[in-house]
DNA sequence: CTTTCTGCAAAAAGTTTGCAGCCAA
DNA sequence: TTGGCTGCAAACTTTTTGCAGAAAG
């Protein structure tokens, strides 16, 4: 992937097959996978890659602001190639994590900054419930 | 503490000194402590209490909906005796966690439910930044 | 050729569990 | 009395780290 390689180079990160695979996989999914999920999904194509490498790569990508780490309240962190600080909605039944379009919600940052006098850097908004698919499945 | 004892009994939990101490400590702080912080702060008065007991007690209190567990994105969980699902604001400098009054923010739940067709159960809203105290300290 | 990266294994950190004895009801 | 609770130690899970060899630039 030329694009990914360029982005890595810009941050003075060496372009390795492992990094390309992880970054590429994250860029082409909407599933917000955990480190373990990434590791398992790349096992077929990269059978020698270790879980430690997945963690080190994710750490490098987060530090370079090429991906973001999110914490939906499960045991493990999830990763997202969309680096905007956008709200997520999580199905507590199937554990899928979906994006919410930012423009669908009012901007709270300015309001909170005004009320609290904090200098705000980012926010994390999570909504939990049952997704439409799981709702019909339960019935 | 009579109040706390009664709340424990209502949920068929035995009233023990350890549970009273933990519940009481959580009810009288605004600091959203972690299990470790609770353990350390009760060491003086309850030197024989183990960290495992703190975890088991917190688990029992969460299950009884007497406290809530929050996940501000740090390594460890934090606990809050305020069981309403209210937004938090976290100082990334001093790691303090503050409450935000719910009525200061618009209610997003109905809006999100309408847009996504999820059946929503709860939400977690976290704002990150530098608190006023740390802002002046840095200068 | 230098520096960074990988992959293995071991360690760390937070949390959970098994179990024997203890205590609230 | 008895079923639930405590406290200890051991286990477990996710993530981090040290290090030797491998690969990128």
């Amino acid at each position: 992937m030329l694009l990914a390689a360029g982005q890595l180079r810009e941050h003075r990160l060496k372009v390795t097959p492992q990094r390309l695979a992880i970054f590429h996989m994250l860029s082409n999914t909407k599933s917000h996978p955990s480190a373990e999920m990434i590791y398992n999904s790349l096992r077929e194509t990269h059978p020698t890659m270790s879980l430690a490498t997945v963690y080190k790569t994710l750490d490098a990508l987060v530090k370079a602001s090429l991906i973001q780490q999110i914490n939906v309240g499960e045991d493990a962190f999830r990763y997202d190639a969309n680096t905007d600080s956008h709200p997520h909605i999580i199905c507590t039944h199937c554990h899928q994590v979906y994006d919410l379009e930012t423009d669908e919600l009012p901007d709270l940052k300015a309001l909170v900054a005004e009320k609290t006098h904090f200098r705000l850097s980012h926010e994390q908004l999570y909504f939990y419930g049952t997704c439409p698919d799981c709702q019909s499945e339960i019935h």
Side-chain angles (χ1 to χ4, degrees), chain A:
Chain A
M1 256 289 106
L2 286 178
L3 268 174
Q7 289 184 273
L8 289 172
R9 276 193 209 97
E10 277 176 34
H11 291 274
R12 281 154 205 88
L13 295 173
K14 292 206 169 173
V15 179
T16 67
Q18 293 88 339
R19 287 180 174 176
L20 288 176
I22 291 170
F23 191 26
H24 192 240
M25 186 259 180
L26 267 174
S27 303
N28 288 84
T29 183
K30 291 184 171 179
S31 73
H32 306 77
S34 65
E36 188 96 35
M37 291 169 184
I38 296 168
Y39 173 65
N40 284 326
S41 100
L42 295 179
R43 272 188 120 155
E44 278 185 54
T45 48
H46 298 72
T48 68
M49 182 165 55
S50 74
L51 190 52
T53 297
V54 175
Y55 277 109
K56 285 172 185 170
T57 298
L58 289 171
D59 189 56
L61 295 178
V62 168
K63 286 210 172 89
S65 300
L66 294 175
I67 64 172
Q68 70 169 313
Q69 189 186 54
I70 63 175
N71 189 338
V72 299
E74 290 183 340
D75 33 12
F77 287 110
R78 301 278 200 132
Y79 296 87
D80 191 342
N82 179 350
T83 52
D84 297 339
S85 155
H86 58 285
H88 292 96
I89 182 160
I90 299 107
C91 178
T92 49
H93 192 249
C94 66
H95 303 283
Q96 282 256 44
V97 180
Y98 300 90
D99 291 321
L100 250 114
E101 298 304 320
T102 324
D103 52 293
E104 290 179 12
L105 293 180
D107 180 44
L108 304 175
K109 222 164 149 179
L111 187 59
V112 172
E114 188 197 326
K115 296 276 184 193
T116 62
H117 304 294
F118 264 61
R119 191 184 299 140
L120 290 179
S121 56
H122 61 290
E123 62 199 83
Q124 301 266 289
L125 311 184
Y126 302 115
F127 296 88
Y128 299 85
T130 316
C131 70
D133 284 359
C134 287
Q135 281 175 45
S136 46
E137 200 182 278
I138 291 166
H139 298 161

